[in-house]
Amino acid sequence: MQQQTVVPGEIVHTFEFSRSGSYTSTTFNETVALEARKLAESGTIQVESGVSYGPVSANVQAGFSTSSEINTMLQSTTKEQEEETVTWSTKETRQYTVGAHSRLILYQRHFYGPGMIVEDSALRTTATPLTQDQREEVVLVDLELESKNFISGITVAYGDRASDAPGDRIRDWFGGNDDINFEFEGK
């Protein structure tokens, strides 16, 4: 450990802080799909009926100074289709010197989004407390969505043999078996 020279009237404050983050891809994707549906139903955006929408890419708005973890997390989240929770954590030590009759207030940036929490490496020091408006910042996330077509209004038919399948059933596009329970004992 390095020896420090302390000047009379100064306080050297050393502290350790953690940076961490986590995201759950399905929570993010479900929230995006729900918000897209709300916008479509309100008439705010024009969309194709009978289609759901899911995120293809997401980026934090330009001008928001952020760590690469947040953009990496957003890009990873849009690519994951299965339930996946990713968590990371690092620790860092920092040191500040405060002079006589002064004080130092330290803020660490936190990023919250649907299924996402990040304690960022961005720290801010001030001599006076920040107001609520200064402490909270709305961050816009630019999303690119793609339509996900699905079939609605169908009846599920059960049977024990292939001959039990209805004649007007939906056929596999590539000519494969159209029995979705094939080799899973039917019902």
Side-chain angles (χ1 to χ4, degrees):
M1 185 159 170
Q2 185 177 1
Q3 186 71 8
Q4 281 184 330
T5 305
V6 178
V7 176
E10 287 187 344
I11 299 170
V12 177
H13 180 68
T14 304
F15 69 97
E16 182 176 277
F17 77 99
S18 297
R19 294 186 320 151
S20 63
S22 69
Y23 71 84
T24 303
S25 55
T26 52
T27 304
F28 179 78
N29 291 337
E30 288 168 5
T31 304
V32 169
L34 178 66
E35 291 302 315
R37 188 171 359 147
K38 284 181 188 174
L39 289 171
E41 289 172 358
S42 70
T44 307
I45 58 173
Q46 294 293 324
V47 295
E48 185 180 335
S49 63
V51 172
S52 69
Y53 289 85
V56 175
S57 69
N59 293 297
V60 175
Q61 69 182 14
F64 176 69
S65 59
T66 182
S67 68
S68 61
E69 283 100 349
I70 295 173
N71 272 326
T72 301
M73 178 184 57
L74 285 168
Q75 290 167 4
S76 298
T77 303
T78 57
K79 292 183 177 111
E80 298 298 330
Q81 298 301 317
E82 297 177 7
E83 176 79 27
E84 180 184 26
T85 300
V86 175
T87 305
W88 69 91
S89 181
T90 60
K91 288 190 178 192
E92 189 174 322
T93 301
R94 292 202 181 169
Q95 184 174 337
Y96 291 91
T97 302
V98 181
H101 306 292
S102 64
R103 71 178 182 172
L104 182 70
I105 301 172
L106 181 68
Y107 295 95
Q108 181 179 12
R109 178 179 286 167
H110 292 249
F111 177 86
Y112 299 102
M116 301 178 214
I117 298 173
V118 177
E119 294 176 353
D120 202 359
S121 61
L123 297 176
R124 180 177 180 181
T125 59
T126 64
T128 58
L130 297 175
T131 66
Q132 184 71 20
D133 289 341
Q134 291 171 318
R135 287 193 314 257
E136 291 186 5
E137 179 181 1
V138 175
V139 178
L140 297 177
V141 177
D142 296 323
L143 286 168
E144 182 180 330
L145 303 178
E146 72 176 352
S147 63
K148 297 183 177 187
N149 294 323
F150 59 93
I151 301 170
S152 63
I154 62 171
T155 303
V156 177
Y158 298 98
D160 293 322
R161 296 175 305 276
S163 61
D164 293 338
D168 62 346
R169 68 186 178 274
I170 298 171
R171 309 281 180 172
D172 182 85
W173 182 266
F174 299 103
N177 193 331
D178 52 14
D179 179 359
I180 61 171
N181 274 327
F182 181 67
E183 296 179 345
F184 291 102
E185 306 298 321
K187 302 173 192 171

